[in-house]
Amino acid sequence: MAKIVFLPGAKMDLQTALSLDTEAYSPEELEKLLPMLETLYDELEQEEPDDPESEEYYEWAACLEELDDLMDEIQDLMDE
């Protein structure tokens, strides 16, 4: 998978975030990506669907979980 380069001030979208190949980035680059992912997570968290029984809610929760897992993976790689 190709490495995505982010320009300073760039915003990350969910699709891009979930397609990141974390192994392609140096620890310094991962350190810069993590705040972008945290911002995306916070924004997504604000979009919680009203009906917790809806398909939309389950998709939203799954995206949050994937994003959280990605942030954990990046943190683990940075700690190595």
Side-chain angles (χ1 to χ4, degrees):
M1 180 174 277
K3 178 176 163 182
I4 300 169
V5 177
F6 295 93
L7 300 173
K11 238 183 138 176
M12 187 175 308
D13 62 76
L14 184 61
Q15 183 178 359
T16 301
L18 297 179
S19 67
L20 288 175
D21 179 9
T22 56
E23 299 290 328
Y25 294 90
S26 70
E28 294 79 20
E29 291 170 320
L30 291 173
E31 191 173 339
K32 291 177 183 175
L33 284 175
L34 197 53
M36 295 171 75
L37 293 170
E38 290 167 345
T39 298
L40 179 60
Y41 185 93
D42 292 342
E43 290 171 356
L44 186 58
E45 205 172 30
Q46 298 300 316
E47 297 175 8
E48 180 178 358
D50 293 329
D51 182 4
E53 299 298 320
S54 69
E55 182 66 30
E56 181 184 15
Y57 187 90
Y58 288 113
E59 291 173 8
W60 170 83
C63 288
L64 275 181
E65 186 174 335
E66 283 185 68
L67 201 49
D68 189 47
D69 290 346
L70 177 62
M71 290 187 298
D72 287 344
E73 179 184 343
I74 288 174
Q75 190 63 56
D76 289 346
L77 288 169
M78 289 171 40
D79 290 343
E80 288 182 351

